[in-house]
Amino acid sequence: MKIGLIVGSLRKESWNRKVAEVAKTLFPDNIQVDFVEIGHIPFYNEDLDGENEIAEYKEIRSAIKDHDGFIFFTPEYNRSFAPAIKNIIDIGSKSSDGNIWSKKPVAVFSATIGGYGGMAGNLALRQNFVNVNIMPMQRPEVYLSNIQDSFDDKGNIFADTKDFIDKAVKAFVKHVELISK
Ligand SMILES: Cc1cc2nc3c(=O)[nH]c(=O)nc-3n(C[C@H](O)[C@H](O)[C@H](O)COP(=O)(O)O)c2cc1C
């Protein structure tokens, strides 16, 4: 099984990336896990596609095909999710092989420094799965609020948050197995 981790926040010190780095360590050893970077992918533009397909669209499309499932780590921006994630959903839906997102198992983890854990953004992202037939893990829902309080001064995550992420990662592995049957 090969799983891709996609972080919607593009800034270096992103809390969502820190959460993703923790999640990466919690997969069983027999599962390959890597980060799929999306910050450099240009906004979807049909003029850059089809016969003119640019290298970045090719790159993200082959990453989508090459993984059995994905976890999206999204911040909440103005009660929605990160636009960089929307961009790659759109690119994957319009490949020359059709919608290559179809039937991909995914999970959405959201983290914010505020008290709602990015719930609005997390749920807004899930709405986009309908038309592209992405298969989200429904539960556990992962909304990490006040995320700055889950790490100590040295950047180590506290055990309770780590345990919660661990349970969600293990549930996601089962979800991928179920969908891929
Ligand atoms: C443009 C913008 C809009 C934001 N809107 C929200 C919001 O609607 N709800 C919220 O809880 N936090 C909001 N925030 C705060 C983010 O949750 C916070 O900056 C978080 O740390 C971003 O995730 P990151 O650390 O992974 O970059 C917003 C931040 C930005 C930059």
Side-chain angles (χ1 to χ4, degrees):
M1 188 191 291
K2 188 172 175 189
I3 300 300
L5 307 181
I6 296 179
V7 181
S9 170
L10 307 183
R11 71 190 188 96
K12 270 199 222 98
E13 292 302 319
S14 160
W15 290 109
N16 282 278
R17 184 169 289 273
K18 293 185 208 305
V19 169
E21 279 160 3
V22 171
K24 188 170 189 277
T25 67
L26 298 173
F27 280 84
D29 289 344
N30 60 334
I31 296 179
Q32 208 184 320
V33 189
D34 60 15
F35 280 88
V36 175
E37 300 299 340
I38 60 173
H40 62 293
I41 310 287
F43 277 137
Y44 186 65
N45 177 344
E46 287 185 86
D47 295 341
L48 307 179
D49 206 1
E51 284 178 6
N52 303 320
E53 185 187 27
I54 58 172
E56 291 89 342
Y57 294 176
K58 279 196 185 113
E59 174 197 326
I60 197 68
R61 285 168 172 151
S62 64
I64 295 166
K65 285 187 197 161
D66 190 40
H67 290 78
D68 300 302
F70 293 92
I71 302 182
F72 293 113
F73 297 84
T74 187
E76 181 170 293
Y77 289 161
N78 297 311
R79 298 288 180 260
S80 194
F81 65 100
I85 294 177
K86 179 65 163 64
N87 190 37
I88 62 152
I89 290 176
D90 294 340
I91 294 168
S93 74
K94 287 284 174 198
S95 100
S96 54
D97 296 329
N99 167 25
I100 55 175
W101 283 112
S102 189
K103 299 193 180 138
K104 285 280 177 196
V106 309
V108 183
F109 293 10
S110 53
T112 59
I113 54 176
Y116 299 110
M119 185 168 77
N122 187 312
L123 296 176
L125 173 51
R126 286 161 188 255
Q127 185 185 336
N128 289 264
F129 299 159
V130 178
N131 194 51
V132 289
N133 200 33
I134 281 176
M135 304 287 163
M137 177 177 80
Q138 299 294 9
R139 296 182 71 90
E141 297 163 279
V142 183
Y143 313 125
L144 298 163
S145 58
N146 303 311
I147 188 64
Q148 70 283 11
D149 297 336
S150 291
F151 289 83
D152 69 17
D153 298 347
K154 297 196 173 81
N156 300 309
I157 194 161
F158 291 122
D160 52 349
T161 309
K162 188 173 177 181
D163 287 350
F164 178 60
I165 296 170
D166 183 51
K167 285 194 178 77
V169 165
K170 301 290 161 30
F172 177 62
V173 170
K174 283 196 181 139
H175 174 69
V176 177
E177 286 166 354
L178 188 74
I179 298 294
S180 312
K181 255 185 195 167

